[in-house]
Amino acid sequence: SMTGPAAAAAETLAARIVALPSRTRRPVRDAVERALTDGTVLRLSYADATGRASERAVEPAGLLTAEGHWYLIAWCRTRRAGRGFRLDRITEATPTDEPARPHDLPTLLRGSSAATATPPAALDGRPGAPLVP
């Protein structure tokens, strides 16, 4: 939905980003990308850092990369809060046809360790501006 200079900056930036293959399985990445693009609820099978498995229904808001890992930032219906899910710990992901409520990424990040994350300056217009005020 961007237009004008911001859209051109986003296209230029996207053409210059290269990602090495991750440990995330392709079906998981595809499902996450589809749910983000289509704005739909995503059903996850997730293993936390201790290996404990859980099933979640989440409303995706965006992706975050930090310390060599990719995270899905989403509203977790189980926890009733914003959460980050490491993509390589998602064991299964299934997009649904159910529309997800829109969630503001900076709001979901507020209070997390990613609260000081910064968007690319070309998109924000302010070099080094944090995502969360």
Side-chain angles (χ1 to χ4, degrees):
S1 65
M2 286 193 301
T3 60
E11 287 179 24
T12 300
L13 182 62
R16 294 173 163 259
I17 296 173
V18 177
L20 295 175
S22 70
R23 292 176 291 223
T24 305
R25 294 182 5 249
R26 183 76 192 191
V28 167
R29 282 196 337 259
D30 289 348
V32 167
E33 289 172 6
R34 180 175 156 216
L36 278 165
T37 302
D38 295 347
T40 56
V41 171
L42 186 64
R43 298 209 178 277
L44 302 179
S45 296
Y46 187 76
D48 68 14
T50 65
R52 187 176 47 225
S54 64
E55 302 294 318
R56 310 286 182 99
V58 302
E59 300 171 1
L63 292 170
L64 169 78
T65 183
E67 299 178 359
H69 299 286
W70 282 94
Y71 296 83
L72 169 65
I73 308 301
W75 178 262
C76 177
R77 290 182 170 179
T78 302
R79 300 287 185 242
R80 295 185 178 159
R83 290 288 189 266
F85 299 94
R86 238 174 76 174
L87 291 189
D88 62 337
R89 291 184 182 157
I90 297 173
T91 56
E92 191 173 332
T94 307
T96 69
D97 292 329
E98 180 185 352
R101 292 174 299 160
H103 293 279
D104 182 58
L105 183 59
T107 300
L108 292 182
L109 292 173
R110 191 171 283 120
S112 76
S113 61
T116 58
T118 57
L123 301 182
D124 181 16
R126 297 176 295 141
L131 281 173
V132 180

